[in-house]
Amino acid sequence: MSESDYAGGAAPAAPGPGPAGPPEAAVLPAHGQAAADVLAEVRRSQDRDVDYRRGRNWAFTYYAGEELLQVLAAAYQLGMSANGLSGAAFPSLARFESEILAWMGSLLGGGGGEAGSMTSGGSESILLAVKTARDLAQARGRPRAGQRGNVVAARSTHPGFAKAAHYLGLELRRAPLHHDQRADAAAMAAMIDDDTVLVVASAPSYPHGVVDDVPAIAQLAAGAGLPCHVDACVGGMVLPFARAIGAWHGEFGFEVPGVTSISADLHKYGYTAKGTSVVVYRTAELFGFQSFAHDEWTGGRYEVPNLCGTRPGGAITAAWAAMRYLGQDGYCELTRQSLAATAALRAGLAAIDGLHVAGDPDINLIAIGDARGRVREIARELRRRGWVLGTQGDVSRGEEKTMHLTVTAGHRPHIDEFLHDLAEAAASSSAG
């Protein structure tokens, strides 16, 4: 899956000077502009952005109504000049982050002794979890002298782990999947050796929305004396509430012996402002390996738990406000709505000739396959009609090409419209 799969074209090139010097837009204007004019230009520039309020977007944004959006905007503005680097200067942010982490530890099956931090998004949460595992392994004498450490995961594991392994000088080993798209725990076990630093499970994996067998994977990690990270970036704010309303009955968090850390994005199904995620560890001792400290310079001791030093206070403040505003009952209701929208989509898809749901998703993610191989053509037609969605699948390895939908509570009123356009797009692709 690539950016071009979503946008229907390549990302814009970085700006640079042309033959006769830089274009006018590449030079900071010599004089300021009136505030009203600046804001009007911002609004004009946004005219081509996807209208997520009308459910046109099946990726990137998570919308749950105007009232919550207003709460987010007001809270973000209240905290936008605050800096999460210093809890001493901004004790409000320290309070908000501490409470969010306690809430998340509880939702993720913890018993109260967990520790962690808020991050800018899933990629940072994942990288920090891998970094923590690497540093823990080094303290325990892994990898062997002259060898490179490795992370054992499945082929469905998010690319954030590949990025983390690349940045941290580790090898990422990807095990095959079962026919239901879940990780093959036995194959993962065969990949573990004396240089392994971390074992990963997904709850769920992004491509097909299926939750790996976390208990089995955590057990094999514990048996090898290794930490087990659960990537719940997309499911961490769905699965606890789906279980509470009786729509899902599995286990994936700290209630599972052997799970040592979990990542969960708040700006996905937590419906908070971008970008907020958390990485939570079973113990404060484990969290200690995440921090970075340095004092060999003229500015005194510098110590941070995250990749970023400065962290936007607006995002932290808005996340706390959204979670406090919604509460468990609000999230249960949003989960009901998103799962109802998912069920309606699945029912409608069954009536469109040639299309099917790939796999059997546990939550509100859907991969749509086509028996006739028209996925790119159908997706292109849907984009022409104003829908933003992605395509995925490595066909070079025999994987089915599918369209990917992340279904939110905000999509529920727009399911019939989408199914109508999807059916017409499939019919026109058949005719072509």
Side-chain angles (χ1 to χ4, degrees):
M1 182 173 57
S2 67
E3 183 174 353
S4 61
D5 285 332
Y6 277 106
E24 181 180 348
V27 179
L28 180 68
H31 306 290
Q33 195 173 9
D37 294 338
V38 171
L39 295 176
E41 187 172 344
V42 170
R43 294 186 183 98
R44 285 194 300 272
S45 296
Q46 292 177 331
D47 283 346
R48 294 181 60 199
D49 291 354
V50 63
D51 188 355
Y52 59 86
R53 287 177 170 89
R54 291 182 52 226
R56 312 295 289 183
N57 189 23
W58 297 100
F60 304 124
T61 58
Y62 297 75
Y63 176 65
E66 286 301 298
E67 189 169 318
L68 176 57
L69 201 62
Q70 290 170 12
V71 171
L72 289 171
Y76 201 106
Q77 187 174 23
L78 288 170
M80 69 180 182
S81 294
N83 187 344
L85 177 61
S86 175
F90 299 102
S92 64
L93 298 186
R95 174 206 165 184
F96 296 151
E97 181 171 15
S98 176
E99 290 187 3
I100 287 170
L101 289 166
W103 296 341
M104 292 305 298
S106 175
L107 286 173
L108 297 173
E114 299 76 35
S117 66
M118 290 185 67
T119 72
S120 62
S123 291
E124 185 183 0
S125 292
I126 288 169
L127 197 152
L128 288 169
V130 176
K131 182 263 185 196
T132 297
R134 183 201 66 177
D135 290 2
L136 172 66
Q138 289 173 348
R140 294 175 172 177
R142 285 180 180 239
R144 295 167 295 175
Q147 301 298 311
R148 185 162 64 137
N150 64 74
V151 175
V152 173
R155 289 207 66 246
S156 55
T157 304
H158 193 275
F161 289 92
K163 181 164 59 174
H166 172 74
Y167 286 163
L168 296 168
L170 302 170
E171 174 193 359
L172 179 63
R173 297 178 176 177
R174 289 187 179 271
L177 305 174
H178 291 300
H179 71 279
D180 61 2
Q181 303 297 325
R182 289 174 172 80
D184 184 335
M188 292 176 69
M191 292 181 171
I192 294 173
D193 61 19
D194 291 339
D195 303 314
T196 302
V197 302
L198 179 66
V199 179
V200 178
S202 298
S205 60
Y206 181 83
H208 294 89
V210 295
V211 179
D212 288 338
D213 187 346
V214 174
I217 294 171
Q219 183 179 27
L220 70 89
L226 295 169
C228 174
H229 180 78
V230 175
D231 174 21
C233 284
V234 73
M237 290 299 288
V238 176
L239 293 171
F241 306 109
R243 186 163 51 196
I245 64 176
W248 185 74
H249 304 284
E251 294 184 323
F252 76 99
F254 291 121
E255 73 276 9
V256 177
V259 170
T260 55
S261 60
I262 306 172
S263 52
D265 287 359
L266 306 181
H267 62 205
K268 288 188 171 72
Y269 291 110
Y271 297 98
T272 69
K274 304 289 186 181
T276 48
S277 176
V278 297
V279 56
V280 186
Y281 300 88
R282 185 179 286 274
T283 66
E285 180 185 5
L286 276 172
F287 176 52
F289 287 94
Q290 180 177 294
S291 293
F292 172 82
H294 183 79
D295 55 12
E296 296 179 5
W297 72 314
T298 56
R301 185 170 178 80
Y302 173 88
E303 184 170 4
V304 292
N306 288 20
L307 292 180
C308 303
T310 292
R311 292 185 294 151
I316 296 171
T317 304
W320 181 90
M323 296 179 76
R324 187 66 187 87
Y325 168 77
L326 288 168
Q328 293 192 42
D329 55 353
Y331 280 115
C332 283
E333 179 56 29
L334 288 173
T335 301
R336 283 190 189 94
Q337 293 178 23
S338 60
L339 292 176
T342 305
L345 269 173
R346 296 186 70 167
L349 282 167
I352 301 176
D353 188 35
L355 300 187
H356 62 273
V357 175
D360 186 15
D362 290 300
I363 65 166
N364 38 317
L365 300 177
I366 290 184
I368 302 174
D370 176 49
R372 302 175 188 172
R374 305 162 297 170
V375 163
R376 284 193 180 276
E377 291 76 12
I378 295 171
R380 188 180 301 118
E381 174 60 20
L382 287 170
R383 291 178 191 131
R384 190 188 68 79
R385 293 169 180 247
W387 300 98
V388 175
L389 74 167
T391 56
Q392 61 181 15
D394 187 348
V395 293
S396 68
R397 298 188 63 154
E399 294 177 359
E400 181 182 19
K401 195 74 175 176
T402 59
M403 293 172 281
H404 191 274
L405 309 179
T406 55
V407 187
T408 71
H411 284 118
R412 191 173 184 185
H414 310 287
I415 297 300
D416 289 344
E417 181 187 7
F418 176 74
L419 288 170
H420 174 270
D421 283 359
L422 177 61
E424 288 196 347
S428 64
S429 296
S430 298

